[in-house]
Amino acid sequence: MALLRDKGDKLVKAMQDFASSESGTLKSGLEGLAECLTAIENCQQVKIDRIEAKVVKPLLEYDGLCRRAKEELHTSHDVREKEVDKQRSLERVRIRDPTNRRRLAQYDTELQKLKIQRLRASKTAEEYIEAFERKRTQEMKSVLGEYVYANMAYHAKALELFTVGFQHIQSMNEDEVIELFHRGFNPRKQSNRDQGQNEGDSGTLTRRSPSPPGI
């Protein structure tokens, strides 16, 4: 985008330099068009800044949120694996040493604790993922809405400015340009033409002047 802005600035600069050597409607038209293009470049920069603040920045924050969600899931999974391992150990003790009530009671107590931990971890993970999904959906709507709005606002304003720029282009009068060219190319001829026109206008006024009374 920076490269595109540089190209736009160069175009405007070249147009302004070209206009400085012209006159009449060609000069005013080029200057007006250059102003429109500059305004469009500024609007585009506003669009870019808005997208970076309202779209790119929120999306970058999702890296941390996703890591937290994965950690919650891993924690719940690890507790579940410990519970399964403890359940298997208890079953082996029941088969190999069914009369060892003390050991069986110890394993059963530890198993119950793991079940409680697993339920808590699962509930925490479920609540976190639910909140995460809700927040993700809401922010996705907001972020995409901001992106579309920024582009809509830019294109609407750009269309308005391009319309004005087109009007500046149409205001350039080629007949005037040719007339100015002839004046610069042969100023003496133009001076004689202007003098002859002035004399013709003066003679017309003399013929149309009323005669004084009494003559």
Side-chain angles (χ1 to χ4, degrees):
M1 296 306 294
L3 180 61
L4 182 62
R5 180 59 191 262
D6 291 340
K7 297 294 185 181
D9 290 341
K10 289 181 180 179
L11 175 61
V12 170
K13 180 63 167 59
M15 200 172 298
Q16 290 172 338
D17 291 342
F18 186 33
S20 64
S21 62
E22 297 297 334
S23 58
T25 57
L26 183 58
K27 177 182 179 67
S28 61
L30 288 170
E31 290 176 340
L33 179 59
E35 291 177 2
C36 290
L37 294 179
T38 299
I40 291 171
E41 293 293 332
N42 293 335
C43 290
Q44 188 172 28
Q45 187 61 49
V46 171
K47 181 195 76 171
I48 293 171
D49 293 341
R50 184 182 183 91
I51 289 176
E52 287 181 349
K54 300 290 187 177
V55 178
V56 177
K57 186 176 179 181
L59 289 177
L60 292 176
E61 293 176 354
Y62 267 94
D63 186 37
L65 295 175
C66 291
R67 281 201 303 267
R68 173 72 188 281
K70 290 179 180 179
E71 290 173 359
E72 291 292 340
L73 290 175
H74 283 315
T75 300
S76 177
H77 179 73
D78 291 343
V79 174
R80 174 61 180 167
E81 288 296 318
K82 289 180 181 179
E83 180 188 359
V84 171
D85 291 342
K86 185 61 66 174
Q87 181 70 46
R88 290 172 179 170
S89 298
L90 179 59
E91 293 297 330
R92 285 195 295 268
V93 171
R94 283 175 179 172
I95 295 172
R96 296 175 182 176
D97 194 6
T99 59
N100 193 339
R101 295 182 178 180
R102 181 174 176 279
R103 190 177 182 188
L104 288 172
Q106 179 184 355
Y107 271 67
D108 187 64
T109 300
E110 292 176 354
L111 180 61
Q112 294 303 318
K113 289 181 179 179
L114 287 173
K115 285 183 178 180
I116 294 174
Q117 291 179 12
R118 189 255 303 169
L119 291 174
R120 289 176 179 174
S122 297
K123 184 178 180 180
T124 300
E126 181 180 356
E127 291 176 348
Y128 182 84
I129 297 302
E130 180 180 341
F132 172 78
E133 287 298 319
R134 184 180 300 276
K135 178 180 175 64
R136 183 175 69 91
T137 304
Q138 291 174 345
E139 292 196 354
M140 184 178 296
K141 290 167 60 178
S142 176
V143 164
L144 294 177
E146 287 288 348
Y147 177 78
V148 172
Y149 176 80
N151 280 280
M152 287 174 58
Y154 163 72
H155 286 293
K157 188 62 177 179
L159 179 60
E160 177 184 337
L161 291 168
F162 274 124
T163 301
V164 175
F166 183 77
Q167 292 172 351
H168 282 299
I169 294 173
Q170 296 303 307
S171 70
M172 300 177 189
N173 190 318
E174 56 270 21
D175 292 333
E176 182 193 66
V177 172
I178 297 300
E179 180 66 22
L180 292 174
F181 166 75
H182 283 303
R183 288 184 183 181
F185 186 74
N186 196 345
R188 180 177 299 179
K189 182 178 179 181
Q190 181 63 35
S191 178
N192 292 337
R193 183 186 304 174
D194 293 340
Q195 183 178 357
Q197 183 177 356
N198 292 335
E199 290 177 354
D201 293 342
S202 177
T204 302
L205 291 174
T206 301
R207 288 193 298 271
R208 290 180 180 178
S209 298
S211 300
I215 299 179

